[in-house]
Amino acid sequence: MTVVVPLVLGQACRSFLREFLDRRKPPFGTVSSAVLLMIIYTTFCDTFSNPSIQLDPTSLLLVVLIIFAIQISFMLLTFTFSTRSGSGFTPADTVAIVFCSTHKSLTLGIPMLKIVFAGYQHLSLISVPLLIYHPAQILLGSILVPTIKTWMNSRQKEVKLTALEPV
């Protein structure tokens, strides 16, 4: 009811309202960002205002380091597999694979946690890794964009030069 029903209803309404929405151009991007911010804010407040969370700074730092290690490992793994010879992926495909396959959103994760662990007294503690994972992927992505952009541009130039060479 929390995840699937809104998704199905949205897809069903989309076919009926497409022309109307194309004419009106509602600010879906702004609304989407505001809703995401509200979900993150309420989850953050629920998590850290809970007196039974009992999360000391050392444990929190350890969770942060583990999450960054997992995120970097996933990104390296997807990059390695998508750049292997014979994979058939273009440099642009590789960038999409690296970022899209490793990024998960709080908008899906938090409702799923609330469904799976409904009534569990330590739900706040369980949501801490997800609260850290989302900003970690944004931070790592923003740090890696210049490097990956340079790599992609150089690879695309190599592909173009190779295509121009006579066989």
Side-chain angles (χ1 to χ4, degrees):
M1 292 304 287
T2 306
V3 177
V4 177
V5 171
L7 181 67
V8 170
L9 286 176
Q11 291 301 315
C13 290
R14 186 176 180 177
S15 62
F16 299 112
L17 299 173
R18 180 176 300 251
E19 290 177 24
F20 171 75
L21 294 175
D22 285 342
R23 285 192 310 267
R24 300 293 305 258
K25 301 279 187 209
F28 284 129
T30 305
V31 171
S32 174
S33 295
V35 169
L36 179 60
L37 184 61
M38 287 175 52
I39 290 171
I40 293 169
Y41 178 75
T42 58
T43 303
F44 190 85
C45 290
D46 288 347
T47 298
F48 292 105
S49 67
N50 187 344
S52 67
I53 193 167
Q54 297 178 358
L55 187 64
D56 62 287
T58 306
S59 297
L60 187 60
L61 180 62
L62 186 61
V63 169
V64 168
L65 292 175
I66 289 170
I67 287 174
F68 270 94
I70 289 170
Q71 180 72 16
I72 290 169
S73 299
F74 285 159
M75 292 178 96
L76 285 172
L77 187 69
T78 56
F79 181 81
T80 301
F81 280 117
S82 63
T83 56
R84 290 185 348 189
S85 62
S87 69
F89 295 118
T90 66
D93 292 339
T94 297
V95 172
I97 290 167
V98 167
F99 283 107
C100 294
S101 67
T102 60
H103 283 57
K104 303 299 170 227
S105 173
L106 281 171
T107 54
L108 183 60
I110 294 301
M112 285 177 56
L113 279 177
K114 288 182 177 181
I115 292 167
V116 172
F117 296 101
Y120 185 61
Q121 67 181 17
H122 298 295
L123 179 62
S124 295
L125 194 59
I126 292 171
S127 65
V128 169
L130 188 58
L131 283 170
I132 296 169
Y133 192 83
H134 190 76
Q137 58 193 17
I138 293 169
L139 180 64
L140 284 172
S142 64
I143 291 170
L144 293 175
V145 162
T147 305
I148 289 180
K149 182 179 178 182
T150 303
W151 172 84
M152 185 181 79
N153 289 337
S154 69
R155 290 290 299 227
Q156 286 178 330
K157 286 178 186 174
E158 289 174 19
V159 170
K160 286 179 185 177
L161 290 176
T162 305
L164 294 176
E165 291 178 2
V167 181

